[in-house]
Amino acid sequence: MSTPIPKSHKRVVAIAKRAPLELHTVPTKAPEANEVLVRVSYAASSPLNLHVADGNLLGGLPNVGWNGAFAGSVAALGPETQTGLKIGDPVFGFTWRDNKEKSGQEYLTAPETMMGRIPDGADERAYATVPDSFVTAWHTLRTELGMKLPWPKPDGWKPRNVDTPVLVWGASSSVGWFALPLLKWAGYTNVVATAGMKHHERLKQLGATKAFDYRDGDVVEKLRDAAGPPGFRYFVDCIGSLEGSVRPIAQIAGPGSTIAIMLPVIVRTATETVEPIYSMDVKDPEIHVDWKDGSNPVGVRTHFYTKDEFAANNLQPVVMPALLQSGDIEPASYRIMEGKDMLERAEKALSLFRSGAVSGERLIWSTS
Ligand SMILES: NC(=O)c1ccc[n+]([C@@H]2O[C@H](COP(=O)([O-])OP(=O)(O)OC[C@H]3O[C@@H](n4cnc5c(N)ncnc54)[C@H](OP(=O)(O)O)[C@@H]3O)[C@@H](O)[C@H]2O)c1
């Protein structure tokens, strides 16, 4: 039975650059055709929230309601929904396009194709770690790098170039956590990772064949040796730090390689006292990256994943729950942000990102 749709609810709002967040009361939007009203339980903060709050990335301020991943339950269904969701079903998803869709609020209203069902009894907080990062990893591999990720995958299917060398730089990041097992699921067998040492064993379980510490002064030489004469064909830069990942990768990436870089390129990292500087162009002459002739750097914008009709209709409602169910991917580790209200919890997450204290985990907070 449907619960009455509330007249209004609270959401987190970033008003101006590096200004304190605010909590606004806004009208709750009833779901229209193919839409679902979700009572959000948990929202996941991501570095994108920091890029917008501190750097006004892409003119994203004021940012009403945050954007990113959520877990919650179906409060109401609009007409003509087709995915089989029912009132009360637990759901998780990644939404961002409109204020009513965003996850940092008590209720969100979004298309049913932008969420999947959580199995009964599963930890919804763990499921909130998945959607934005999983969608990014899939979109990066399949669309930006043009790798084969068939769905459904026929039994025994393997890519033609199974042992082509792939480098996942920053594999302990949220995106790396899903890129590695997706590559393993797709059959790629020569996947090298960089991450802090403490994550290496875990990353090998997830699918890395070798792991190197990105802080090691010899990391570029070690990675060249690990790739051998063909060199890496595919690169996933999960970090996009100008000095910390982009420049070292440019030294390794040879002709014929494609390098997918998570945007923005971080020219200067935000801290409590310093404003960030970003670039949205991986070939920006102002940042002077010395890409070798014949290498192909591309900037990743996950928000474009819906341009692929298959992904738009199936990635979140079908593929993501199925890969979790089969155990081919698993939720990331998470840390719960405590605080008296959403505002305090969302601020805590921003502060942890500013202090660089997030390692191999998602920051999750309750919207109650
Ligand atoms: N454009 C897009 O569509 C898109 C989508 C998703 C993410 N992104 C961007 O990608 C970046 C990462 O996001 P995220 O959510 O994955 O972040 P995250 O999980 O919070 O990143 C933290 C991890 O980054 C690792 N790290 C930090 N500096 C590194 C470096 N120089 N080399 C290798 N690893 C490094 C740390 O590794 P250790 O703890 O092992 O040291 C830590 O585990 C953000 O800027 C985000 O906005 C962009």
Side-chain angles (χ1 to χ4, degrees):
M1 213 179 75
S2 122
T3 44
I5 297 176
K7 285 201 164 40
S8 63
H9 65 268
K10 291 197 169 57
R11 64 162 65 129
V12 175
V13 181
I15 289 292
K17 235 188 197 181
R18 292 164 77 85
L21 300 176
E22 296 180 5
L23 208 51
H24 290 189
T25 299
V26 296
T28 304
K29 301 281 186 197
E32 296 176 3
N34 303 114
E35 285 187 335
V36 179
L37 177 71
V38 176
R39 172 65 179 98
V40 180
S41 311
Y42 289 93
S45 280
S46 79
L48 178 59
N49 301 144
L50 178 68
H51 303 330
V52 173
D54 280 20
N56 192 18
L57 186 70
L58 291 170
L61 287 172
N63 185 294
V64 181
W66 270 169
N67 33 295
F70 67 87
S73 56
V74 175
L77 292 162
E80 297 159 39
T81 48
Q82 290 164 18
T83 50
L85 287 173
K86 296 190 287 302
I87 307 282
D89 278 353
V91 286
F92 65 135
F94 165 44
T95 48
W96 71 89
R97 302 171 309 172
D98 194 322
N99 293 343
K100 70 178 184 181
E101 284 187 6
K102 292 182 184 174
S103 57
Q105 51 188 336
E106 292 170 321
Y107 286 86
L108 66 79
T109 311
E112 58 179 340
T113 47
M114 298 183 93
M115 61 192 78
R117 195 184 186 289
I118 299 177
D120 293 330
D123 175 3
E124 59 179 352
R125 297 167 304 180
Y127 272 68
T129 69
V130 178
D132 48 354
S133 308
F134 168 77
V135 170
T136 300
W138 179 281
H139 170 76
T140 301
L141 299 177
R142 191 161 134 141
T143 304
E144 303 294 358
L145 293 176
M147 300 175 87
K148 300 280 180 223
L149 300 182
W151 191 271
K153 186 168 65 117
D155 280 347
W157 184 88
K158 295 234 178 309
R160 222 164 2 116
N161 48 352
V162 301
D163 56 358
T164 194
V166 183
L167 177 62
V168 180
W169 187 291
S172 64
S173 67
S174 311
V175 179
W177 183 266
F178 295 97
L180 287 181
L182 272 177
L183 286 162
K184 183 177 176 182
W185 168 81
Y188 292 91
T189 57
N190 190 2
V191 179
V192 176
T194 74
M197 286 286 284
K198 68 176 179 190
H199 297 297
H200 287 190
E201 275 321 301
R202 189 71 193 107
L203 298 178
K204 285 180 185 166
Q205 288 161 10
L206 286 176
T209 40
K210 290 180 189 152
F212 295 89
D213 189 348
Y214 64 90
R215 295 184 180 90
D216 190 333
D218 295 338
V219 68
V220 165
E221 288 71 30
K222 285 181 174 162
L223 289 168
R224 280 201 193 108
D225 287 350
F232 291 105
R233 165 76 183 81
Y234 300 108
F235 292 79
V236 184
D237 178 355
C238 302
I239 306 300
S241 158
L242 180 59
E243 302 302 333
S245 60
V246 177
R247 286 204 206 286
I249 287 174
Q251 293 178 53
I252 305 168
S257 63
T258 304
I259 308 103
I261 301 166
M262 297 306 130
L263 291 175
V265 175
I266 302 168
V267 179
R268 188 171 75 192
T269 307
T271 68
E272 291 297 343
T273 51
V274 172
E275 271 194 29
I277 300 175
Y278 303 119
S279 170
M280 289 301 284
D281 179 1
V282 296
K283 293 184 185 161
D284 183 346
E286 298 211 347
I287 59 178
H288 305 299
V289 179
D290 196 8
W291 295 110
K292 292 192 185 65
D293 284 348
S295 65
N296 177 29
V298 293
V300 175
R301 295 278 305 275
T302 307
H303 292 164
F304 294 155
Y305 94 89
T306 52
K307 288 186 175 178
D308 171 345
E309 198 183 331
F310 167 81
N313 292 324
N314 298 285
L315 199 50
Q316 299 208 63
V318 179
V319 180
M320 177 170 76
L323 287 174
L324 284 160
Q325 184 68 32
S326 63
D328 288 298
I329 60 169
E330 54 184 273
S333 303
Y334 61 84
R335 193 180 340 173
I336 299 288
M337 301 293 95
E338 305 291 353
K340 70 172 168 31
D341 56 17
M342 272 200 277
L343 201 56
E344 225 174 87
R345 296 170 205 142
E347 285 281 15
K348 266 191 190 158
L350 279 184
S351 182
L352 282 170
F353 285 127
R354 278 188 203 108
S355 61
V358 182
S359 175
E361 63 190 348
R362 297 300 310 263
L363 306 182
I364 304 294
W365 39 276
S366 161
T367 59
S368 298

